[in-house]
Amino acid sequence: MTAMDASIETRLQRLEDERDVLRPLYQYGHTLDYGPEDAFLDCFTETAVWTQAGRFARPETTRRFEGRGGLIKLFRHHTHAPEIYHKHLLVEPRITLHGDEASVESYYVRIDEHPEGAYIRAFGRYRDRVVRCPDGHWRIQQRLTETEGRNRKDFPPAPWTDLPLTVR
Amino acid sequence: MITAATSVEARLRALEDEGGVLATMYQYGHALDYGLRDEFLDCFTRSGVWDSRRCDSGTTPVGHYAGHAQLAGFFDRHTHAPSVYHKHLLVEPRITIDGDLATAASYFVRVDEHGGEVYMPGFGRYQDRLVRSADGRWRFEERRVELERWQKREPVVEQ
């Protein structure tokens, strides 16, 4: 292999990695909004941690779902279509690659249905750590959901209110 | 004569360039929303221009800033987190590369929080011209902000 080939291979790998890092980030929104559960869980490693923090976070309100068990409960206590239609929009992902790990900062906007019409329920930022798994797929190891703006409308009801703050 | 190797090189370069242009477009929103002054200025060439005009009332000029000194003034007068939270959402970028120049048209939607309600002050289109700088980074030579609808409420500033 020539130096030119190696360089092209490395550069191509970088582009593929950036594309593949996006896969679980987009899959997250689609599967949380529509299911199925196993595709949602496939966005994460077995030991992944999902945390909700940010502007509205206080120690007594910070939610944490840990590991496969926690993420199953996150999914099952969340609304999905067709019972409730909503969208988790992810935009402007900024990906930084570090070999088999990546850090990503992206915006999210959640749009929900409401008896009075569709509305923006919340917006904020995702801060993710994504890792390349042994099967070659990238999965989320850590997702920090920073909610920065939230609408007071309460339809559909907020998920997880009947769960403890830390779920495993 | 184009060999297979140069063809691959050219195709790879085109993909990298599109990614580089997009990275600058995303950097703009994140830097403006979170108050990252250096990152914001780094989106523009030294003589870069930010120009905005309203399209919902003819073509009324909103602002025109040329060069880093004026852009810094614009940035300093703009709101940022954590005093005010908002998002400049950029979607559907259409990028055209021509050597060391690029043009990009994209949609933007601004989302704000105001007194316990999330709302959209406005939306519109970015029309951008970027150049490849000496360090290889793509920067705005001109960002034209076409405000197609804009109705902003007075910010509720957190103390």
Side-chain angles (χ1 to χ4, degrees), chain A residues 2 4 7 15-16 19 24 30 39 43 47 49 54 61-62 64-65 76 107 110 113 128 134-135 138 143 148 157:
Chain A
T2 66
M4 176 64 83
S7 172
L15 291 172
E16 288 175 336
R19 180 201 61 188
H30 281 256
C43 301
T47 58
V49 175
T61 60
T62 297
R64 223 174 129 82
F65 294 90
R76 292 181 183 175
Y107 288 167
R110 178 161 159 188
E113 63 172 315
D128 298 320
D135 65 358
W138 291 81
R143 161 151 287 191
E148 299 171 356

PDB file of all heavy atoms in Angstrom, chain A residues 2 4 7 15-16 19 24 30 39 43 47 49 54 61-62 64-65 76 107 110 113 128 134-135 138 143 148 157:
ATOM      1  N   THR A   2       0.614   2.173  -0.872  1.00  0.00           N
ATOM      2  CA  THR A   2       1.410   3.395  -0.947  1.00  0.00           C
ATOM      3  C   THR A   2       0.956   4.389   0.119  1.00  0.00           C
ATOM      4  O   THR A   2      -0.099   4.231   0.739  1.00  0.00           O
ATOM      5  CB  THR A   2       1.238   4.057  -2.326  1.00  0.00           C
ATOM      6  OG1 THR A   2      -0.120   4.497  -2.431  1.00  0.00           O
ATOM      7  CG2 THR A   2       1.549   3.080  -3.441  1.00  0.00           C
ATOM      8  N   MET A   4      -0.004   7.344  -0.435  1.00  0.00           N
ATOM      9  CA  MET A   4      -1.224   7.994  -0.923  1.00  0.00           C
ATOM     10  C   MET A   4      -2.457   7.155  -0.603  1.00  0.00           C
ATOM     11  O   MET A   4      -3.479   7.640  -0.154  1.00  0.00           O
ATOM     12  CB  MET A   4      -1.112   8.226  -2.438  1.00  0.00           C
ATOM     13  CG  MET A   4      -2.364   8.821  -3.076  1.00  0.00           C
ATOM     14  SD  MET A   4      -2.737  10.476  -2.485  1.00  0.00           S
ATOM     15  CE  MET A   4      -1.644  11.416  -3.555  1.00  0.00           C
ATOM     16  N   SER A   7      -3.265   7.391   3.089  1.00  0.00           N
ATOM     17  CA  SER A   7      -3.882   8.667   3.392  1.00  0.00           C
ATOM     18  C   SER A   7      -5.353   8.670   2.977  1.00  0.00           C
ATOM     19  O   SER A   7      -6.209   9.106   3.720  1.00  0.00           O
ATOM     20  CB  SER A   7      -3.130   9.774   2.656  1.00  0.00           C
ATOM     21  OG  SER A   7      -3.828  10.988   2.800  1.00  0.00           O
ATOM     22  N   LEU A  15     -14.554   9.992   7.273  1.00  0.00           N
ATOM     23  CA  LEU A  15     -15.880  10.364   6.756  1.00  0.00           C
ATOM     24  C   LEU A  15     -16.915   9.294   7.108  1.00  0.00           C
ATOM     25  O   LEU A  15     -18.043   9.604   7.484  1.00  0.00           O
ATOM     26  CB  LEU A  15     -15.818  10.561   5.239  1.00  0.00           C
ATOM     27  CG  LEU A  15     -15.018  11.774   4.754  1.00  0.00           C
ATOM     28  CD1 LEU A  15     -14.881  11.740   3.233  1.00  0.00           C
ATOM     29  CD2 LEU A  15     -15.704  13.074   5.182  1.00  0.00           C
ATOM     30  N   GLU A  16     -16.503   8.030   6.971  1.00  0.00           N
ATOM     31  CA  GLU A  16     -17.434   6.943   7.314  1.00  0.00           C
ATOM     32  C   GLU A  16     -17.762   6.957   8.802  1.00  0.00           C
ATOM     33  O   GLU A  16     -18.904   6.730   9.196  1.00  0.00           O
ATOM     34  CB  GLU A  16     -16.814   5.592   6.922  1.00  0.00           C
ATOM     35  CG  GLU A  16     -16.772   5.371   5.426  1.00  0.00           C
ATOM     36  CD  GLU A  16     -16.057   4.080   5.043  1.00  0.00           C
ATOM     37  OE1 GLU A  16     -15.219   3.585   5.838  1.00  0.00           O
ATOM     38  OE2 GLU A  16     -16.337   3.563   3.944  1.00  0.00           O
ATOM     39  N   ARG A  19     -20.244   9.650   9.552  1.00  0.00           N
ATOM     40  CA  ARG A  19     -21.578   9.233   9.117  1.00  0.00           C
ATOM     41  C   ARG A  19     -22.158   8.196  10.069  1.00  0.00           C
ATOM     42  O   ARG A  19     -23.324   8.268  10.457  1.00  0.00           O
ATOM     43  CB  ARG A  19     -21.499   8.651   7.696  1.00  0.00           C
ATOM     44  CG  ARG A  19     -22.840   8.185   7.140  1.00  0.00           C
ATOM     45  CD  ARG A  19     -22.642   7.192   6.015  1.00  0.00           C
ATOM     46  NE  ARG A  19     -21.930   5.996   6.483  1.00  0.00           N
ATOM     47  CZ  ARG A  19     -21.480   5.039   5.690  1.00  0.00           C
ATOM     48  NH1 ARG A  19     -21.645   5.144   4.388  1.00  0.00           N
ATOM     49  NH2 ARG A  19     -20.858   3.983   6.183  1.00  0.00           N
ATOM     50  N   PRO A  24     -26.789   6.138  15.366  1.00  0.00           N
ATOM     51  CA  PRO A  24     -27.557   5.974  16.609  1.00  0.00           C
ATOM     52  C   PRO A  24     -28.200   7.269  17.094  1.00  0.00           C
ATOM     53  O   PRO A  24     -29.222   7.217  17.787  1.00  0.00           O
ATOM     54  CB  PRO A  24     -26.507   5.468  17.608  1.00  0.00           C
ATOM     55  CG  PRO A  24     -25.197   5.922  17.071  1.00  0.00           C
ATOM     56  CD  PRO A  24     -25.348   5.899  15.576  1.00  0.00           C
ATOM     57  N   HIS A  30     -36.056   8.530  16.129  1.00  0.00           N
ATOM     58  CA  HIS A  30     -37.067   7.745  15.396  1.00  0.00           C
ATOM     59  C   HIS A  30     -37.667   6.658  16.280  1.00  0.00           C
ATOM     60  O   HIS A  30     -38.877   6.433  16.268  1.00  0.00           O
ATOM     61  CB  HIS A  30     -36.432   7.111  14.150  1.00  0.00           C
ATOM     62  CG  HIS A  30     -36.279   8.080  13.002  1.00  0.00           C
ATOM     63  ND1 HIS A  30     -37.105   8.075  11.905  1.00  0.00           N
ATOM     64  CD2 HIS A  30     -35.391   9.075  12.797  1.00  0.00           C
ATOM     65  CE1 HIS A  30     -36.735   9.033  11.062  1.00  0.00           C
ATOM     66  NE2 HIS A  30     -35.691   9.661  11.587  1.00  0.00           N
ATOM     67  N   ALA A  39     -34.921  -1.610  18.758  1.00  0.00           N
ATOM     68  CA  ALA A  39     -34.128  -0.671  17.948  1.00  0.00           C
ATOM     69  C   ALA A  39     -33.698   0.532  18.783  1.00  0.00           C
ATOM     70  O   ALA A  39     -32.610   1.075  18.581  1.00  0.00           O
ATOM     71  CB  ALA A  39     -34.935  -0.216  16.733  1.00  0.00           C
ATOM     72  N   CYS A  43     -29.399   1.649  20.169  1.00  0.00           N
ATOM     73  CA  CYS A  43     -28.660   2.919  20.074  1.00  0.00           C
ATOM     74  C   CYS A  43     -27.578   2.996  21.138  1.00  0.00           C
ATOM     75  O   CYS A  43     -26.653   3.809  21.024  1.00  0.00           O
ATOM     76  CB  CYS A  43     -29.597   4.113  20.273  1.00  0.00           C
ATOM     77  SG  CYS A  43     -30.934   4.228  19.101  1.00  0.00           S
ATOM     78  N   THR A  47     -23.894  -0.723  28.914  1.00  0.00           N
ATOM     79  CA  THR A  47     -23.636   0.001  30.167  1.00  0.00           C
ATOM     80  C   THR A  47     -23.910   1.503  30.037  1.00  0.00           C
ATOM     81  O   THR A  47     -23.458   2.292  30.868  1.00  0.00           O
ATOM     82  CB  THR A  47     -22.167  -0.201  30.600  1.00  0.00           C
ATOM     83  OG1 THR A  47     -21.310   0.259  29.530  1.00  0.00           O
ATOM     84  CG2 THR A  47     -21.873  -1.650  30.892  1.00  0.00           C
ATOM     85  N   VAL A  49     -25.394   5.282  29.989  1.00  0.00           N
ATOM     86  CA  VAL A  49     -26.090   6.100  30.987  1.00  0.00           C
ATOM     87  C   VAL A  49     -26.739   7.284  30.276  1.00  0.00           C
ATOM     88  O   VAL A  49     -26.087   7.972  29.476  1.00  0.00           O
ATOM     89  CB  VAL A  49     -25.115   6.612  32.066  1.00  0.00           C
ATOM     90  CG1 VAL A  49     -25.835   7.559  33.031  1.00  0.00           C
ATOM     91  CG2 VAL A  49     -24.500   5.447  32.832  1.00  0.00           C
ATOM     92  N   GLY A  54     -28.918  20.139  32.755  1.00  0.00           N
ATOM     93  CA  GLY A  54     -28.996  21.394  32.034  1.00  0.00           C
ATOM     94  C   GLY A  54     -29.620  22.486  32.855  1.00  0.00           C
ATOM     95  O   GLY A  54     -29.580  22.474  34.085  1.00  0.00           O
ATOM     96  N   THR A  61     -33.882  16.978  40.951  1.00  0.00           N
ATOM     97  CA  THR A  61     -34.708  16.732  39.761  1.00  0.00           C
ATOM     98  C   THR A  61     -33.918  16.092  38.623  1.00  0.00           C
ATOM     99  O   THR A  61     -34.481  15.813  37.565  1.00  0.00           O
ATOM    100  CB  THR A  61     -35.312  18.050  39.234  1.00  0.00           C
ATOM    101  OG1 THR A  61     -34.242  18.936  38.883  1.00  0.00           O
ATOM    102  CG2 THR A  61     -36.202  18.706  40.272  1.00  0.00           C
ATOM    103  N   THR A  62     -32.634  15.870  38.812  1.00  0.00           N
ATOM    104  CA  THR A  62     -31.825  15.278  37.739  1.00  0.00           C
ATOM    105  C   THR A  62     -32.162  13.798  37.590  1.00  0.00           C
ATOM    106  O   THR A  62     -32.071  13.029  38.539  1.00  0.00           O
ATOM    107  CB  THR A  62     -30.328  15.447  38.048  1.00  0.00           C
ATOM    108  OG1 THR A  62     -30.020  16.845  38.088  1.00  0.00           O
ATOM    109  CG2 THR A  62     -29.472  14.771  36.982  1.00  0.00           C
ATOM    110  N   ARG A  64     -31.709  10.014  35.855  1.00  0.00           N
ATOM    111  CA  ARG A  64     -30.618   9.166  35.390  1.00  0.00           C
ATOM    112  C   ARG A  64     -31.158   7.774  35.117  1.00  0.00           C
ATOM    113  O   ARG A  64     -31.804   7.179  35.984  1.00  0.00           O
ATOM    114  CB  ARG A  64     -29.569   9.093  36.510  1.00  0.00           C
ATOM    115  CG  ARG A  64     -28.152   9.216  36.083  1.00  0.00           C
ATOM    116  CD  ARG A  64     -27.257   9.266  37.320  1.00  0.00           C
ATOM    117  NE  ARG A  64     -26.183   8.289  37.199  1.00  0.00           N
ATOM    118  CZ  ARG A  64     -25.081   8.507  36.527  1.00  0.00           C
ATOM    119  NH1 ARG A  64     -24.893   9.663  35.921  1.00  0.00           N
ATOM    120  NH2 ARG A  64     -24.153   7.575  36.439  1.00  0.00           N
ATOM    121  N   PHE A  65     -30.891   7.288  33.931  1.00  0.00           N
ATOM    122  CA  PHE A  65     -31.233   5.902  33.581  1.00  0.00           C
ATOM    123  C   PHE A  65     -29.931   5.190  33.263  1.00  0.00           C
ATOM    124  O   PHE A  65     -29.190   5.610  32.373  1.00  0.00           O
ATOM    125  CB  PHE A  65     -32.182   5.861  32.383  1.00  0.00           C
ATOM    126  CG  PHE A  65     -33.533   6.451  32.667  1.00  0.00           C
ATOM    127  CD1 PHE A  65     -33.780   7.802  32.462  1.00  0.00           C
ATOM    128  CD2 PHE A  65     -34.561   5.648  33.138  1.00  0.00           C
ATOM    129  CE1 PHE A  65     -35.021   8.351  32.727  1.00  0.00           C
ATOM    130  CE2 PHE A  65     -35.822   6.193  33.399  1.00  0.00           C
ATOM    131  CZ  PHE A  65     -36.055   7.547  33.196  1.00  0.00           C
ATOM    132  N   ARG A  76     -40.133   2.350  28.107  1.00  0.00           N
ATOM    133  CA  ARG A  76     -41.498   1.884  28.406  1.00  0.00           C
ATOM    134  C   ARG A  76     -42.332   2.933  29.136  1.00  0.00           C
ATOM    135  O   ARG A  76     -43.559   2.846  29.134  1.00  0.00           O
ATOM    136  CB  ARG A  76     -41.427   0.584  29.221  1.00  0.00           C
ATOM    137  CG  ARG A  76     -40.880  -0.555  28.381  1.00  0.00           C
ATOM    138  CD  ARG A  76     -40.821  -1.866  29.128  1.00  0.00           C
ATOM    139  NE  ARG A  76     -40.226  -2.887  28.261  1.00  0.00           N
ATOM    140  CZ  ARG A  76     -39.940  -4.122  28.657  1.00  0.00           C
ATOM    141  NH1 ARG A  76     -40.192  -4.500  29.910  1.00  0.00           N
ATOM    142  NH2 ARG A  76     -39.398  -4.984  27.812  1.00  0.00           N
ATOM    143  N   TYR A 107     -28.167  19.998  18.811  1.00  0.00           N
ATOM    144  CA  TYR A 107     -29.374  20.634  19.317  1.00  0.00           C
ATOM    145  C   TYR A 107     -30.531  19.649  19.235  1.00  0.00           C
ATOM    146  O   TYR A 107     -30.565  18.799  18.332  1.00  0.00           O
ATOM    147  CB  TYR A 107     -29.733  21.849  18.462  1.00  0.00           C
ATOM    148  CG  TYR A 107     -28.825  23.040  18.623  1.00  0.00           C
ATOM    149  CD1 TYR A 107     -28.890  24.082  17.710  1.00  0.00           C
ATOM    150  CD2 TYR A 107     -27.938  23.141  19.681  1.00  0.00           C
ATOM    151  CE1 TYR A 107     -28.083  25.200  17.853  1.00  0.00           C
ATOM    152  CE2 TYR A 107     -27.127  24.244  19.835  1.00  0.00           C
ATOM    153  CZ  TYR A 107     -27.202  25.271  18.910  1.00  0.00           C
ATOM    154  OH  TYR A 107     -26.409  26.376  19.046  1.00  0.00           O
ATOM    155  N   ARG A 110     -38.173  19.358  20.602  1.00  0.00           N
ATOM    156  CA  ARG A 110     -39.249  18.373  20.674  1.00  0.00           C
ATOM    157  C   ARG A 110     -40.555  19.048  20.290  1.00  0.00           C
ATOM    158  O   ARG A 110     -40.946  20.055  20.865  1.00  0.00           O
ATOM    159  CB  ARG A 110     -39.344  17.774  22.068  1.00  0.00           C
ATOM    160  CG  ARG A 110     -40.489  16.804  22.125  1.00  0.00           C
ATOM    161  CD  ARG A 110     -40.461  15.831  23.215  1.00  0.00           C
ATOM    162  NE  ARG A 110     -41.810  15.326  23.425  1.00  0.00           N
ATOM    163  CZ  ARG A 110     -42.151  14.554  24.409  1.00  0.00           C
ATOM    164  NH1 ARG A 110     -41.249  14.165  25.286  1.00  0.00           N
ATOM    165  NH2 ARG A 110     -43.399  14.140  24.539  1.00  0.00           N
ATOM    166  N   GLU A 113     -47.990  17.016  19.609  1.00  0.00           N
ATOM    167  CA  GLU A 113     -49.372  17.346  19.298  1.00  0.00           C
ATOM    168  C   GLU A 113     -50.019  17.917  20.559  1.00  0.00           C
ATOM    169  O   GLU A 113     -49.544  17.705  21.687  1.00  0.00           O
ATOM    170  CB  GLU A 113     -50.121  16.103  18.836  1.00  0.00           C
ATOM    171  CG  GLU A 113     -50.227  15.003  19.879  1.00  0.00           C
ATOM    172  CD  GLU A 113     -51.153  13.880  19.417  1.00  0.00           C
ATOM    173  OE1 GLU A 113     -52.240  14.159  18.903  1.00  0.00           O
ATOM    174  OE2 GLU A 113     -50.761  12.722  19.601  1.00  0.00           O
ATOM    175  N   ASP A 128     -23.157  14.004  23.855  1.00  0.00           N
ATOM    176  CA  ASP A 128     -23.041  12.544  23.773  1.00  0.00           C
ATOM    177  C   ASP A 128     -21.597  12.082  23.728  1.00  0.00           C
ATOM    178  O   ASP A 128     -20.731  12.758  23.148  1.00  0.00           O
ATOM    179  CB  ASP A 128     -23.735  12.026  22.505  1.00  0.00           C
ATOM    180  CG  ASP A 128     -25.219  12.325  22.489  1.00  0.00           C
ATOM    181  OD1 ASP A 128     -25.859  12.197  23.548  1.00  0.00           O
ATOM    182  OD2 ASP A 128     -25.736  12.683  21.419  1.00  0.00           O
ATOM    183  N   PRO A 134     -17.545  -3.669  19.328  1.00  0.00           N
ATOM    184  CA  PRO A 134     -16.832  -4.764  18.657  1.00  0.00           C
ATOM    185  C   PRO A 134     -17.455  -5.184  17.322  1.00  0.00           C
ATOM    186  O   PRO A 134     -16.750  -5.657  16.428  1.00  0.00           O
ATOM    187  CB  PRO A 134     -16.907  -5.904  19.682  1.00  0.00           C
ATOM    188  CG  PRO A 134     -16.978  -5.203  20.998  1.00  0.00           C
ATOM    189  CD  PRO A 134     -17.804  -3.973  20.752  1.00  0.00           C
ATOM    190  N   ASP A 135     -18.762  -4.998  17.160  1.00  0.00           N
ATOM    191  CA  ASP A 135     -19.394  -5.357  15.873  1.00  0.00           C
ATOM    192  C   ASP A 135     -19.223  -4.260  14.825  1.00  0.00           C
ATOM    193  O   ASP A 135     -19.772  -4.367  13.718  1.00  0.00           O
ATOM    194  CB  ASP A 135     -20.880  -5.681  16.077  1.00  0.00           C
ATOM    195  CG  ASP A 135     -21.692  -4.473  16.535  1.00  0.00           C
ATOM    196  OD1 ASP A 135     -21.099  -3.386  16.743  1.00  0.00           O
ATOM    197  OD2 ASP A 135     -22.924  -4.613  16.681  1.00  0.00           O
ATOM    198  N   TRP A 138     -21.369   2.076  15.932  1.00  0.00           N
ATOM    199  CA  TRP A 138     -21.200   3.091  16.973  1.00  0.00           C
ATOM    200  C   TRP A 138     -22.460   3.124  17.825  1.00  0.00           C
ATOM    201  O   TRP A 138     -23.576   3.054  17.304  1.00  0.00           O
ATOM    202  CB  TRP A 138     -20.961   4.459  16.342  1.00  0.00           C
ATOM    203  CG  TRP A 138     -19.643   4.597  15.661  1.00  0.00           C
ATOM    204  CD1 TRP A 138     -19.322   4.160  14.413  1.00  0.00           C
ATOM    205  CD2 TRP A 138     -18.457   5.199  16.190  1.00  0.00           C
ATOM    206  NE1 TRP A 138     -18.013   4.458  14.127  1.00  0.00           N
ATOM    207  CE2 TRP A 138     -17.461   5.104  15.201  1.00  0.00           C
ATOM    208  CE3 TRP A 138     -18.152   5.826  17.399  1.00  0.00           C
ATOM    209  CZ2 TRP A 138     -16.180   5.611  15.385  1.00  0.00           C
ATOM    210  CZ3 TRP A 138     -16.875   6.330  17.590  1.00  0.00           C
ATOM    211  CH2 TRP A 138     -15.905   6.212  16.585  1.00  0.00           C
ATOM    212  N   ARG A 143     -25.392   9.795  27.240  1.00  0.00           N
ATOM    213  CA  ARG A 143     -26.181  10.893  26.665  1.00  0.00           C
ATOM    214  C   ARG A 143     -26.596  11.828  27.791  1.00  0.00           C
ATOM    215  O   ARG A 143     -27.255  11.419  28.749  1.00  0.00           O
ATOM    216  CB  ARG A 143     -27.404  10.385  25.926  1.00  0.00           C
ATOM    217  CG  ARG A 143     -28.486  11.462  25.703  1.00  0.00           C
ATOM    218  CD  ARG A 143     -29.322  11.259  24.466  1.00  0.00           C
ATOM    219  NE  ARG A 143     -28.553  11.580  23.256  1.00  0.00           N
ATOM    220  CZ  ARG A 143     -29.093  11.691  22.045  1.00  0.00           C
ATOM    221  NH1 ARG A 143     -30.386  11.500  21.874  1.00  0.00           N
ATOM    222  NH2 ARG A 143     -28.343  11.982  20.998  1.00  0.00           N
ATOM    223  N   GLU A 148     -33.170  23.317  27.957  1.00  0.00           N
ATOM    224  CA  GLU A 148     -32.910  24.747  28.172  1.00  0.00           C
ATOM    225  C   GLU A 148     -34.183  25.580  28.109  1.00  0.00           C
ATOM    226  O   GLU A 148     -34.242  26.666  28.673  1.00  0.00           O
ATOM    227  CB  GLU A 148     -31.910  25.244  27.128  1.00  0.00           C
ATOM    228  CG  GLU A 148     -30.576  24.521  27.219  1.00  0.00           C
ATOM    229  CD  GLU A 148     -29.664  24.849  26.059  1.00  0.00           C
ATOM    230  OE1 GLU A 148     -30.088  25.579  25.141  1.00  0.00           O
ATOM    231  OE2 GLU A 148     -28.523  24.368  26.052  1.00  0.00           O
ATOM    232  N   PRO A 157     -48.717  14.170  29.140  1.00  0.00           N
ATOM    233  CA  PRO A 157     -48.076  14.309  30.443  1.00  0.00           C
ATOM    234  C   PRO A 157     -46.593  13.977  30.382  1.00  0.00           C
ATOM    235  O   PRO A 157     -46.146  13.180  29.564  1.00  0.00           O
ATOM    236  CB  PRO A 157     -48.828  13.284  31.305  1.00  0.00           C
ATOM    237  CG  PRO A 157     -50.088  13.001  30.580  1.00  0.00           C
ATOM    238  CD  PRO A 157     -49.800  13.196  29.136  1.00  0.00           C
TER     239      PRO A 157
END
